[in-house]
Amino acid sequence: MKKFLNENFLLQTKTAQQLYHEFAKQLPVIDYHNHLPPDQIANDINFENLTQVWLYGDHYKWRAMRTNGVDEKYCTGSAGDYEKFEKWAATVPYTLRNPLYHWTHLELQRYFNIETTLNADSAKAIYEEASAKLQTAEYSVRNLLRKMNVKVLCTTDDPTDSLEHHQKIAADGFEIKILPAYRPDKAMHVDDVSAFNKYVNKVESVSGISVSSYSDYLKALKARHDFFESVGCKVSDHGLEQLYAEDYTETEIKNIFEKIRSGKELVYSEIIKIKSAMLIEFAKWDCEKGWVQQYHLGVIRNNNTRMLGQLGADTGWDSIGDFSQGKALASFLNKLDATNQLAKTILYNLNPADNELMATMIGNFNDGSVAGKIQFGSAWWFLDQKDGMVKQMNALSNMSLLSKFVGMLTDSRSFMSYPRHEYFRRILCNMFGEEIENGELPNDLPWTGKIISDICYHNASAYFRF
Ligand SMILES: [Zn+2]
């Protein structure tokens, strides 16, 4: 029997072990999409204890705790930090086969050199040891990133964000690039009249451009796009149920914008028309600047209105949706391609039933101008686990070129998430190793090692040009 989580964790063959240890392991990390708070990096903070770094804001863990029958008081509520940790520690043994079990123990090993498994009995000692380490200079957030060999990371930022923290980090001369990403989700949230109008007013004041028409609104948002570029931004991102690609005329969009600005609710056909129009404009800016545009597709958010009312968004009430992705996605990409305004694009899919759809969709618009110009992005959120990654990479292998894949990202809010890159690399090496040993692939380790190094690091490095 193999030891749990030893140096050959997830590497089932000798060849897989060789590929991982000789080619993948030492490569730096480009984490091109995450939700880390830039202010914490700017101030290079230390966390006081393991609860702060693990349980504040981690809805994956909260969901597991709730499922295990833990009261909300210990997830997001008023319980003290150690009380919350005890409940999490007691939950961990019940997370066997959920990725949380692997993530938890990889994080304990990689950041703290703790090899004990976490449960109710080991909780106190682990909490004390990890918390004491977290308070030392070696565990400031910048040092946590250094420890994980991160070279570049991109946060997720609203167009109205001042980006003052990114500017401070750059001015400090921090050697890891901390770059913003332009995510205009709120800018197109016309489903909520009052929130949208407040948002337009905010764009107006932040950009200094007065907004009395749709074209003014675009001008103001474009000014923010230009500002993001000046701070080093090279990627945009969108969180959408699905792409929208309705036909529209300028007059229609002008009237729809005036209607919502006068405080009137839009009907569904108007909502999708104006969203279609905005998405096309944003995409054109990305193309002009040579940015990479990312689309996270397929989540049904905020399903539990009672809990949403109590705790707000991103607290663990979202799930995989079953939206119809294909036609609108094809039509959206085609509209941009037709005028030669299609930027490098990554499509992230949340419903595994759509994996093959995504893997074949990208081939329609890969035109030879840039290797892997249109990407089927890494398995994401509920699919960010062994089975999800294998399925995504199998679809990509079978229907496109896995060798041109830009690889893994954390998409996380936690500084403790970086071992997920290691997790991905092990799974990748295991897939190749197994097929080499089966005789399905040639026993050419230098070449296979090169492909693996490309997927882990070099493809992203060439693609994003950070
Ligand atoms: Zn994200």
Side-chain angles (χ1 to χ4, degrees):
M1 194 186 298
K2 289 171 186 156
K3 186 173 175 269
F4 172 61
L5 214 69
N6 72 359
E7 74 277 11
N8 291 323
F9 173 58
L10 298 173
L11 303 167
Q12 305 306 341
T13 62
K14 280 270 173 286
T15 306
Q17 293 165 12
Q18 217 177 331
L19 288 169
Y20 176 71
H21 292 290
E22 288 175 23
F23 295 96
K25 187 180 173 181
Q26 74 288 356
L27 289 167
V29 166
I30 297 177
D31 197 35
Y32 52 88
H33 172 72
N34 65 48
H35 298 266
L36 290 175
D39 60 317
Q40 295 186 345
I41 306 173
N43 297 314
D44 197 17
I45 66 144
N46 274 83
F47 294 96
E48 283 168 35
N49 60 51
L50 201 44
T51 298
Q52 288 187 3
V53 72
W54 256 3
L55 286 158
Y56 284 24
D58 188 343
H59 51 72
Y60 292 73
K61 291 191 180 74
W62 297 339
R63 268 173 95 109
M65 290 163 80
R66 291 165 187 149
T67 305
N68 192 38
V70 172
D71 190 90
E72 195 60 35
K73 179 181 164 196
Y74 301 96
C75 303
T76 59
S78 61
D81 283 354
Y82 185 66
E83 289 178 293
K84 286 179 174 169
F85 185 78
E86 270 187 312
K87 295 288 185 190
W88 167 240
T91 298
V92 168
Y94 293 95
T95 67
L96 284 181
R97 300 202 79 241
N98 183 286
L100 283 166
Y101 196 83
H102 284 158
W103 292 347
T104 296
H105 293 101
L106 270 175
E107 291 167 26
L108 285 174
Q109 277 197 17
R110 296 297 173 269
Y111 290 96
F112 304 104
N113 295 316
I114 293 174
E115 300 218 352
T116 324
T117 52
L118 180 58
N119 53 44
D121 294 335
S122 62
K124 192 156 201 297
I126 287 178
Y127 186 81
E128 284 174 359
E129 182 178 346
S131 301
K133 286 181 175 166
L134 282 168
Q135 292 168 18
T136 64
E138 197 193 328
Y139 284 78
S140 75
V141 295
R142 290 191 186 185
N143 282 333
L144 293 176
L145 296 171
R146 288 182 177 114
K147 199 189 269 293
M148 291 296 119
N149 201 11
V150 180
K151 202 168 177 186
V152 185
L153 69 82
C154 299
T155 59
T156 300
D157 308 275
D158 187 88
T160 60
D161 195 286
S162 70
L163 305 185
E164 60 189 304
H165 304 299
H166 296 83
Q167 288 171 321
K168 177 180 184 298
I169 296 163
D172 285 352
F174 185 40
E175 73 279 11
I176 301 173
K177 281 191 186 171
I178 311 294
L179 304 177
Y182 187 84
R183 176 142 160 170
D185 289 5
K186 287 185 187 157
M188 42 186 286
H189 192 54
V190 291
D191 315 61
D192 181 335
V193 182
S194 127
F196 179 76
N197 281 317
K198 273 188 207 140
Y199 187 81
V200 175
N201 298 343
K202 194 169 168 195
V203 171
E204 199 169 27
S205 86
V206 171
S207 67
I209 293 173
S210 117
V211 175
S212 52
S213 66
Y214 178 65
S215 69
D216 292 340
Y217 185 47
L218 287 183
K219 223 179 281 168
L221 286 169
K222 172 78 161 43
R224 299 308 297 165
H225 198 271
D226 295 342
F227 171 66
F228 270 55
E229 162 116 323
S230 76
V231 183
C233 181
K234 293 200 183 301
V235 294
S236 70
D237 184 38
H238 304 266
L240 299 166
E241 292 180 342
Q242 61 190 114
L243 250 313
Y244 304 101
E246 294 296 303
D247 289 326
Y248 54 85
T249 65
E250 269 181 49
T251 315
E252 281 174 325
I253 301 304
K254 183 175 160 284
N255 293 339
I256 294 168
F257 187 79
E258 280 167 15
K259 182 175 173 185
I260 193 166
R261 288 298 278 162
S262 71
K264 293 197 189 87
E265 295 269 351
L266 302 183
V267 297
Y268 181 70
S269 60
E270 294 168 326
I271 290 174
I272 55 171
K273 260 186 209 273
I274 193 167
K275 284 188 179 180
S276 301
M278 286 188 205
L279 281 168
I280 288 284
E281 293 306 318
F282 301 158
K284 288 177 182 172
W285 305 339
D286 292 342
C287 184
E288 273 168 29
K289 294 195 175 80
W291 287 11
V292 173
Q293 53 190 2
Q294 305 171 92
Y295 298 92
H296 284 85
L297 303 172
V299 57
I300 317 186
R301 289 186 190 271
N302 305 326
N303 298 292
N304 185 329
T305 51
R306 178 174 62 84
M307 295 310 293
L308 178 71
Q310 275 179 41
L311 303 174
D314 301 321
T315 55
W317 316 102
D318 311 314
S319 64
I320 292 176
D322 54 355
F323 305 98
S324 174
Q325 299 289 354
K327 277 209 158 181
L329 180 53
S331 170
F332 175 73
L333 297 171
N334 188 49
K335 280 182 188 199
L336 293 162
D337 184 80
T339 53
N340 202 20
Q341 287 171 301
L342 179 57
K344 289 177 278 184
T345 303
I346 308 179
L347 307 173
Y348 301 93
N349 166 44
L350 197 57
N351 187 334
D354 292 330
N355 278 348
E356 281 75 11
L357 183 160
M358 296 290 165
T360 54
M361 184 63 69
I362 62 176
N364 299 325
F365 301 98
N366 268 323
D367 56 8
S369 58
V370 177
K373 177 178 172 181
I374 314 298
Q375 293 271 331
F376 172 20
S378 208
W380 161 59
W381 199 340
F382 297 106
L383 306 185
D384 181 2
Q385 25 78 5
K386 191 169 92 176
D387 180 58
M389 287 183 196
V390 167
K391 282 180 176 155
Q392 185 265 350
M393 287 194 275
N394 279 337
L396 194 52
S397 304
N398 288 327
M399 289 161 200
S400 183
L401 298 183
L402 179 64
S403 58
K404 293 294 154 187
F405 180 31
V406 294
M408 184 61 180
L409 60 151
T410 61
D411 202 348
S412 170
R413 290 170 169 73
S414 165
F415 287 97
M416 293 276 125
S417 293
Y418 281 91
R420 292 188 207 174
H421 282 268
E422 174 186 335
Y423 199 74
F424 168 87
R425 290 175 184 187
R426 287 174 182 271
I427 289 164
L428 175 70
C429 293
N430 193 53
M431 293 173 84
F432 277 101
E434 189 187 346
E435 294 186 8
I436 288 172
E437 296 214 3
N438 285 344
E440 293 176 60
L441 294 174
N443 183 16
D444 183 345
L445 290 200
W447 181 253
T448 315
K450 178 211 147 31
I451 300 281
I452 283 172
S453 310
D454 285 350
I455 297 167
C456 294
Y457 176 73
H458 300 289
N459 286 347
S461 174
Y463 187 72
F464 293 100
R465 299 182 303 143
F466 289 127

